[in-house]
Amino acid sequence: MIPDKAPEDDVFHAAEEMRRGAHVPTFDTFKEMYMQSIEDPDKFWGDMAKDFFWKTKHTGRFLDYNFDTTKGDIFIKCMEGASTNICYNVLDRNVRDRKLGDKVAFYWEGNEPGDELTVTYRELLTSVCRFANVLKSQGVKKGDRVAIYMPMVVELVVAMLACARIGAVHSIVFAGFSAESLCDRIVDSQCSLLITADGFYRGDKLINLKLLADEALQKCTDKGFSLERCIVLKHLSKEAQEISLKSPPAKRPCPDLQNPSLPLHGHACCFSFVQQETETGRVRKTRPVPQVPWNPQVDKCWHALMADSSDECEPEWCASEDPLFILYTSGSTGKPKGVLHTVSGYMLYTAATFKLVFDHRPDDIYWCTADIGWITGHSYITYGPLANGATSVLFEGLPTYPDVSRIWEIVDKYHVSKFYTAPTAIRMLMKYGSEPVQKYKRDSLKVLGTVGEPINPEAWHWYFTVVGDGRCPIVDTFWQTETGGHVMTPLPAATPMKPGSATFPFFGVVPAILNESGEELEGTSEGYLVFKQPWPGVMRTVFGNHARFESTYFKKFPGYYVTGDGCRRDKDGYYWITGRIDDMLNVSGHLLSTAEVESALVGHEAVAEAAVVGRPHPVKGESLYCFVTLRDGVNYNRTLEAQLKKQVREKIGAIATPDFIQDAPALPKTRSGKIMRRVLRKIAGGERDLGDISTLADSSVVEQLFHNRCGAGE
Ligand code: WTA
């Protein structure tokens, strides 16, 4: 399927039809706008800011910053002096000023086909106001941190926007993370409240979220941090969800399907679950009943609180640089970093990138398959789309459940026009061939997007030809939790695409490629990808640890923001991200720190030392290959292997489960004792050509490790 051309020469142009009415219709327009954005950022962003509501206007420069550690502290400030509220801008402004109250904000599609809910902008605003009042009633104030650990339900959006409305800082933890990871994040950001749900289904698997949340809170207590309030959404009862988002709660009792006679505010109202039968269209399923423990001192029922709450809530006017949220991302030292984003710059940047990168039109139906627990969901399910008054699909389930056509079935069901997913999902679906895709029409699709890792040309071609029928431009968006929004990306009508290249910078973004000594390389070159100046959406600090922010991103090359990614520029000036150049792995589009996995492994009593490397994987991009040296007298066997996998899962989460664990009686080290990961990567990948290993203290170790390699046949 791949043409017989070097990817650099494989250029695709959007169809003429795409250009009609496009926000940025041609490459020349792009270049012109780009120059304006760099030469006069105040004017460029000032014009964008006019679309929003500001309680007070900004004074002075649009962006003020220092990126050079030798000249003082690193700082970035955007629109100083202005005050606004992001929740007001994404909801009230749409309902009141833009008359979009009856427009659908979300088509929620549950894990089970047929499980669905439609929520308009007005309904979303009402629920958010009501929940904002709930937060206030629980003592949450401006600046307080609120942990959110929820499945992909509309109430997750409600919870985050309610925080934003009252100026509280949300810290969302992906519901696939373990209790331990949740605990670490709660303690690090000193959260005063946790919002969670009873549980949810991922495909056939029940995730008993409340049990994990309870375990996390117990661990917090053990560490001397007490979080005393937890709001629990009863999601597994479908009726409960409809009541929470649709009916005026005051007129409906708190849902208790088994024991309607129980007192409304008695804690027992959240104990009971019915055996649910769900019509999937294919099979009829009976869902097991989860047991949800309840601690009346701590746990509060979402629905009972909502029933008591008013739907009027004046937004809290926030200064531009007030914190909006914290989101943790893996750090190369092992401890996750709390990336902090602030109100005005993030709002403008996610709104602008969403509008231009997806060429958003009012009648679009947009669908991003990411989880809101990651930055992609924050920026391109919640804030960016809502700021534009977009209609989105919010999907709880999996691309493979109940079968591998689910994605395309949903595309046809809602007439999705803009679709955004990860290369790992594309590669996984590609394995099943074109038939499951072609069973559905997909004629509503206009723009396809990818995010999370470099897309290999083969997957790009399949996405373009099979999914998009050769009609839809692909926006390969490069960005990071830290960048807040897209920083290198094509614009769908304007930019000629090359499969596997994130093409050019977005407006206001100035990339450079540096060599090891920090010199800027011109023309065709390869090296460290850095940025020379801020854009409104870039992170402001690592929560509680500004020194770490400075040392991680600015120390290596003073004057530049260092992404940690390698990059190549081709003869036409296109940028090609080559992947991480630090000790981070990208497994299915999720960044993992090797140090974090190693520390989970050595946490097991049998393990003396561990080294983790990435091994190329056809679907996940990279898989986790772990070398463990056991303590004297311990033997490696299947039981221990299973325990080690479990250990990592429990410490970090299922996404970090090792694919391979190899018993390594010794690790290849330099004479100064440094583990040679480069050599381990070759062993894991089965590559015999090891390069220069003259610095190895004992080269016989390598032969031994090659001999016992795992998964040699794969
Ligand atoms: C990688 C995800 C190549 C990159 C939004 C980056 C990509 C890390 C792309 C950030 C892309 C993301 N092409 N690589 N289009 N998008 N990456 O913080 O290594 O979860 O540094 O943010 O993902 O991952 P994060």
Side-chain angles (χ1 to χ4, degrees):
M1 193 181 286
I2 299 196
D4 191 16
K5 269 187 198 162
E8 269 185 46
D9 300 321
D10 200 9
V11 184
F12 290 79
H13 295 266
E16 202 46 49
E17 204 183 299
M18 226 10 252
R19 299 185 198 280
R20 226 169 296 133
H23 295 299
V24 185
T26 66
F27 197 46
D28 284 340
T29 331
F30 162 72
K31 284 191 281 195
E32 211 175 289
M33 286 173 69
Y34 179 76
M35 287 321 292
Q36 283 168 5
S37 77
I38 303 306
E39 282 162 7
D40 193 356
D42 289 40
K43 162 124 189 29
F44 185 87
W45 293 111
D47 284 349
M48 297 268 176
K50 285 184 190 144
D51 278 350
F52 293 88
F53 176 81
W54 305 95
K55 190 74 178 169
T56 58
K57 299 258 180 281
H58 80 281
T59 47
R61 294 184 58 189
F62 197 88
L63 273 164
D64 193 11
Y65 73 102
N66 172 41
F67 265 17
D68 189 341
T69 45
T70 64
K71 293 189 180 147
D73 293 344
I74 301 294
F75 73 91
I76 301 117
K77 288 180 184 160
C78 181
M79 298 188 79
E80 270 221 291
S83 57
T84 188
N85 182 285
I86 192 167
C87 174
Y88 182 90
N89 272 290
V90 305
L91 295 180
D92 309 57
R93 186 178 56 105
N94 283 326
V95 173
R96 292 190 196 145
D97 308 345
R98 302 173 75 200
K99 310 282 178 247
L100 298 178
D102 294 326
K103 187 170 179 184
V104 174
F106 290 108
Y107 287 114
W108 179 76
E109 172 81 13
N111 177 65
E112 216 50 59
D115 228 357
E116 59 193 34
L117 196 69
T118 301
V119 179
T120 64
Y121 273 86
R122 185 173 295 107
E123 287 167 334
L124 192 58
L125 174 60
T126 306
S127 294
V128 166
C129 287
R130 198 167 267 142
F131 196 66
N133 285 326
V134 166
L135 291 176
K136 285 195 205 167
S137 76
Q138 296 304 303
V140 179
K141 297 178 303 299
K142 184 171 180 215
D144 288 354
R145 274 81 55 208
V146 172
I148 303 180
Y149 187 53
M150 289 175 89
M152 283 285 284
V153 289
V154 179
E155 287 90 339
L156 168 52
V157 179
V158 170
M160 67 201 291
L161 292 179
C163 288
R165 192 165 191 88
I166 64 168
V169 181
H170 57 73
S171 173
I172 301 182
V173 180
F174 170 55
F177 274 126
S178 65
E180 178 128 2
S181 292
L182 174 60
C183 158
D184 290 345
R185 286 156 173 77
I186 289 174
V187 174
D188 188 78
S189 49
Q190 305 272 299
C191 295
S192 59
L193 178 109
L194 171 66
I195 307 168
T196 189
D198 45 9
F200 62 102
Y201 278 91
R202 262 180 81 70
D204 273 326
K205 194 168 163 217
L206 171 69
I207 312 291
N208 225 322
L209 205 61
K210 176 66 166 52
L211 283 184
L212 294 168
D214 282 354
E215 205 184 316
L217 293 189
Q218 182 57 51
K219 285 181 194 288
C220 289
T221 310
D222 297 346
K223 289 186 179 176
F225 181 80
S226 97
L227 185 152
E228 279 147 12
R229 279 157 303 161
C230 177
I231 299 178
V232 187
L233 175 83
K234 212 168 149 184
H235 164 58
L236 287 171
S237 151
K238 201 171 157 225
E239 187 181 334
Q241 194 188 26
E242 270 171 8
I243 291 173
S244 92
L245 290 162
K246 289 287 176 187
S247 320
K251 297 198 192 109
R252 304 282 295 264
C254 175
D256 188 304
L257 306 173
Q258 273 186 343
N259 287 305
S261 60
L262 281 169
L264 189 61
H265 303 294
H267 59 260
C269 75
C270 283
F271 270 116
S272 52
F273 288 87
V274 284
Q275 193 86 1
Q276 278 194 351
E277 290 218 331
T278 333
E279 182 66 70
T280 67
R282 290 149 174 101
V283 274
R284 202 160 174 83
K285 292 214 166 102
T286 303
R287 292 303 193 187
V289 181
Q291 292 297 308
V292 175
W294 198 258
N295 174 358
Q297 259 79 52
V298 175
D299 298 328
K300 308 260 184 244
C301 169
W302 170 293
H303 313 272
L305 292 170
M306 286 290 262
D308 266 355
S309 177
S310 148
D311 60 7
E312 275 180 35
C313 175
E314 200 37 35
E316 181 79 36
W317 301 108
C318 299
S320 281
E321 288 301 332
D322 278 348
L324 172 63
F325 68 83
I326 299 166
L327 181 60
Y328 285 83
T329 185
S330 297
S332 55
T333 55
K335 189 175 162 352
K337 302 177 289 252
V339 170
L340 185 104
H341 285 284
T342 53
V343 174
S344 297
Y346 178 83
M347 174 171 86
L348 276 187
Y349 200 69
T350 51
T353 44
F354 177 79
K355 176 176 170 183
L356 302 177
V357 174
F358 297 107
D359 192 30
H360 177 67
R361 318 280 177 105
D363 55 354
D364 270 340
I365 307 292
Y366 163 82
W367 181 18
C368 165
T369 66
D371 191 290
I372 291 178
W374 305 105
I375 191 69
T376 306
H378 279 61
S379 301
Y380 300 113
I381 294 181
T382 301
Y383 291 109
L386 292 178
N388 282 276
T391 297
S392 302
V393 174
L394 180 65
F395 179 44
E396 184 191 24
L398 294 173
T400 47
Y401 178 83
D403 60 48
V404 296
S405 280
R406 182 77 190 273
I407 297 273
W408 320 118
E409 183 184 336
I410 296 174
V411 165
D412 277 8
K413 175 172 172 186
Y414 298 104
H415 306 288
V416 171
S417 51
K418 311 280 161 84
F419 178 70
Y420 193 29
T421 195
T424 186
I426 299 165
R427 289 192 297 262
M428 193 250 294
L429 294 169
M430 219 171 117
K431 281 198 315 195
Y432 301 96
S434 49
E435 195 269 338
V437 186
Q438 285 163 347
K439 258 178 37 196
Y440 292 90
K441 293 210 303 266
R442 295 157 289 110
D443 53 353
S444 53
L445 288 173
K446 292 202 167 77
V447 175
L448 303 173
T450 73
V451 56
E453 58 184 305
I455 181 163
N456 48 312
E458 197 182 355
W460 193 99
H461 278 279
W462 189 81
Y463 199 26
F464 184 75
T465 326
V466 178
V467 174
D469 281 329
R471 276 183 294 112
C472 310
I474 295 180
V475 286
D476 175 354
T477 61
F478 166 82
W479 59 296
Q480 308 177 301
T481 306
E482 294 87 335
T483 68
H486 309 139
V487 281
M488 309 282 287
T489 175
L491 300 183
T495 316
M497 302 158 279
K498 294 190 185 186
S501 167
T503 71
F504 299 103
F506 187 74
F507 303 118
V509 174
V510 186
I513 297 182
L514 304 186
N515 65 14
E516 192 55 50
S517 20
E519 290 152 348
E520 279 189 34
L521 304 175
E522 302 295 333
T524 314
S525 47
E526 183 162 349
Y528 292 87
L529 176 67
V530 299
F531 295 113
K532 294 168 74 162
Q533 61 184 52
W535 53 94
V538 68
M539 74 184 285
R540 301 302 197 255
T541 190
V542 169
F543 182 80
N545 197 346
H546 196 68
R548 189 168 180 207
F549 173 58
E550 299 192 333
S551 65
T552 309
Y553 304 99
F554 298 93
K555 200 166 126 215
K556 191 171 173 70
F557 301 119
Y560 301 94
Y561 165 91
V562 179
T563 58
D565 284 289
C567 186
R568 185 166 66 79
R569 189 169 38 222
D570 74 12
K571 58 184 181 353
D572 303 317
Y574 278 68
Y575 289 87
W576 300 73
I577 310 296
T578 52
R580 299 295 304 186
I581 38 185
D582 47 15
D583 287 332
M584 305 282 255
L585 300 179
N586 193 325
V587 179
S588 300
H590 301 313
L591 276 193
L592 291 172
S593 134
T594 51
E596 197 179 4
V597 181
E598 284 159 9
S599 116
L601 287 167
V602 294
H604 191 283
E605 58 192 10
V607 179
E609 196 170 22
V612 176
V613 296
R615 164 170 157 159
H617 186 279
V619 172
K620 300 187 199 181
E622 281 185 295
S623 57
L624 282 174
Y625 194 110
C626 312
F627 295 88
V628 293
T629 306
L630 302 181
R631 290 188 188 282
D632 274 352
V634 184
N635 285 324
Y636 195 82
N637 55 38
R638 292 256 168 229
T639 317
L640 178 60
E641 181 172 316
Q643 276 175 15
L644 292 178
K645 287 190 176 175
K646 184 160 168 269
Q647 167 96 359
V648 180
R649 233 187 353 259
E650 283 177 0
K651 290 262 172 202
I652 307 175
I655 48 165
T657 310
D659 295 85
F660 303 98
I661 301 182
Q662 176 171 353
D663 176 19
L667 293 169
K669 292 186 181 170
T670 60
R671 274 170 250 277
S672 60
K674 202 168 165 340
I675 297 172
M676 291 186 76
R677 287 168 195 285
R678 177 175 64 77
V679 172
L680 289 176
R681 269 193 290 273
K682 299 255 173 155
I683 296 171
E687 277 179 64
R688 278 278 166 186
D689 177 13
L690 294 180
D692 179 14
I693 53 165
S694 57
T695 54
L696 264 185
D698 175 5
S699 55
S700 69
V701 171
V702 172
E703 212 30 63
Q704 198 179 21
L705 290 180
F706 254 119
H707 190 72
N708 298 325
R709 260 184 83 228
C710 312
E714 293 183 32

